[in-house]
Amino acid sequence: MSNDGEQIRSHITTAWRSVLGTDEEFEDDDDFFLMGGHSLLALFVAEHLEQSLEREVPMQTVLDNRRLGELATALVTR
Amino acid sequence: MTATVAVAHAAPELLDGLDLSLVPESEHARFAKRRREDDRLSFLAAWAVASRMVADRMETDVDQLRVVRTCIHCSSEEHGKPQFVDSGLDLSLSHTRGGVAVALGTGCEVGVDIERVPAEPWPPEMVRVVVGDDEPIPFPGQEVRVWTAKESVVKCLAVGLMAPVKDLAIAFRPEGPVVVRWDTRPDVVDDLVLRELDVPEDFSATLAVRVAGGADSLDLDYESLT
């Protein structure tokens, strides 16, 4: 993954840890909704990422890309 | 037409003897993929409650029940609103850490959502995402009640969160929450009935019912399992 990708992945990890209330490590294949996430928390993730990336992150992008790696790729290519 | 809705909520730890035999086989894989223990328990509890309720109404055993999903947007059978085959019931279930809610509708569509009330009020930026300027909140610090109302509506119509949350506006009146505007589906606003469920104070739960004729056509059968 590119430097941009690694940086975004780090931001996503931070957002997931914050909303899921955990400090565990996540793999690219981890699915947010199987880690205890749900739609309200997905909304929180989108908002968290908007703040940290300083750009718009649509809720739909978070919902459509449930896995860490997918979401990182989606945000890199946006 | 009279619609009947049965609603149950339960704290998972109060349900003894939970095991996968109480969950339709089609949901076992979803259970197995869940990593967090509290999430697995609430998932199990929600499906156990739903299966017991449906099996009772169909006068059959839980192991005879089959669940299907079909997404209304892409026709995928991997996701979408789950339904018990041949039950004639519209199903909605929700679970969060420590609580579950299940709704079954006869002659109507149902959506239910249960969440924990956060210990701290939402930060202003989150409130702005969920709550519109035309939605005065009579209970500061409990914005999660707005969310459960909106999520119950979205689940009722199985539309998912395809549109901004603020496209849907809720007003909290003395008789309870009502949908006052839904830009995504203005055609159904008059047929939507909302009820806040009687759950412990650290939870918020809302039931949405879409029934022709609105509240006058609704017969609510409420069951608390706690």
Side-chain angles (χ1 to χ4, degrees):
Chain A
M1 188 173 277
S2 67
N3 286 343
D4 277 356
E6 284 299 335
Q7 197 170 16
I8 286 177
R9 190 183 183 287
S10 173
H11 283 300
I12 297 169
T13 299
T14 301
W16 280 22
R17 285 177 177 166
S18 173
V19 304
L20 294 172
T22 179
D23 58 1
E24 64 186 291
E25 295 294 332
F26 299 115
E27 304 293 331
D28 276 359
D29 202 34
D30 281 336
D31 182 322
F32 177 72
F33 288 86
L34 296 176
M35 304 298 297
H38 52 70
S39 50
L40 177 58
L41 295 181
L43 196 64
F44 282 24
V45 166
E47 176 60 25
H48 200 294
L49 289 172
E50 285 201 351
Q51 299 285 328
S52 60
L53 298 174
E54 298 183 329
R55 62 178 163 104
E56 185 186 8
V57 177
M59 167 79 164
Q60 202 56 47
T61 302
V62 177
L63 292 175
D64 287 346
N65 298 280
R66 303 161 58 116
R67 297 179 195 281
L68 176 58
E70 292 171 353
L71 183 55
T73 301
L75 291 175
V76 166
T77 55
R78 270 185 64 84
Chain B
M1 179 173 63
T2 298
T4 300
V5 180
V7 184
H9 69 81
E13 60 269 25
L14 298 180
L15 298 175
D16 294 329
L18 280 182
D19 63 60
L20 272 178
S21 68
L22 299 171
V23 177
E25 195 171 340
S26 57
E27 300 302 311
H28 288 193
R30 290 174 184 273
F31 172 82
K33 288 177 182 174
R34 291 176 182 269
R35 190 185 293 183
R36 292 172 58 145
E37 193 57 34
D38 55 357
D39 186 40
R40 289 163 70 95
L41 183 59
S42 60
F43 176 91
L44 192 58
W47 277 104
V49 170
S51 300
R52 284 179 194 168
M53 291 169 73
V54 172
D56 284 351
R57 282 159 180 76
M58 293 179 70
E59 297 181 343
T60 188
D61 296 324
V62 168
D63 61 8
Q64 298 299 308
L65 299 177
R66 200 163 65 84
V67 172
V68 293
R69 296 170 189 261
T70 306
C71 174
I72 64 169
H73 297 296
C74 67
S75 300
S76 166
E77 295 182 354
E78 297 297 314
H79 55 267
K81 192 174 183 178
Q83 298 296 339
F84 284 97
V85 175
D86 296 330
S87 69
L89 299 164
D90 196 61
L91 167 72
S92 181
L93 73 175
S94 177
H95 53 91
T96 187
R97 185 167 44 86
V100 305
V102 175
L104 298 176
T106 304
C108 59
E109 294 158 87
V110 293
V112 69
D113 188 48
I114 184 168
E115 305 282 353
R116 276 193 169 273
V117 176
E120 301 291 331
W122 285 2
E125 59 268 24
M126 276 311 306
V127 176
R128 282 196 293 273
V129 172
V130 174
V131 183
D133 294 336
D134 57 344
E135 295 178 281
I137 302 176
F139 29 79
Q142 295 189 42
E143 292 84 2
V144 70
R145 289 168 65 185
V146 180
W147 172 266
T148 58
K150 294 188 178 192
E151 176 78 340
S152 69
V153 171
V154 166
K155 291 177 73 173
C156 179
L157 275 291
V159 295
L161 290 167
M162 303 295 281
V165 180
K166 289 197 290 192
D167 278 4
L168 174 61
I170 306 291
F172 285 81
R173 296 179 177 158
E175 66 273 22
V178 295
V179 177
V180 293
R181 174 178 57 79
W182 194 11
D183 300 339
T184 306
R185 292 294 306 270
D187 55 308
V188 301
V189 168
D190 290 342
D191 293 336
L192 286 168
V193 180
L194 300 185
R195 292 284 184 272
E196 287 192 296
L197 304 181
D198 181 19
V199 292
E201 63 182 16
D202 49 343
F203 291 92
S204 170
T206 308
L207 167 73
V209 184
R210 182 195 182 190
V211 56
D216 292 343
S217 304
L218 182 64
D219 175 20
L220 188 62
D221 172 21
Y222 182 71
E223 177 183 359
S224 172
L225 301 181
T226 56

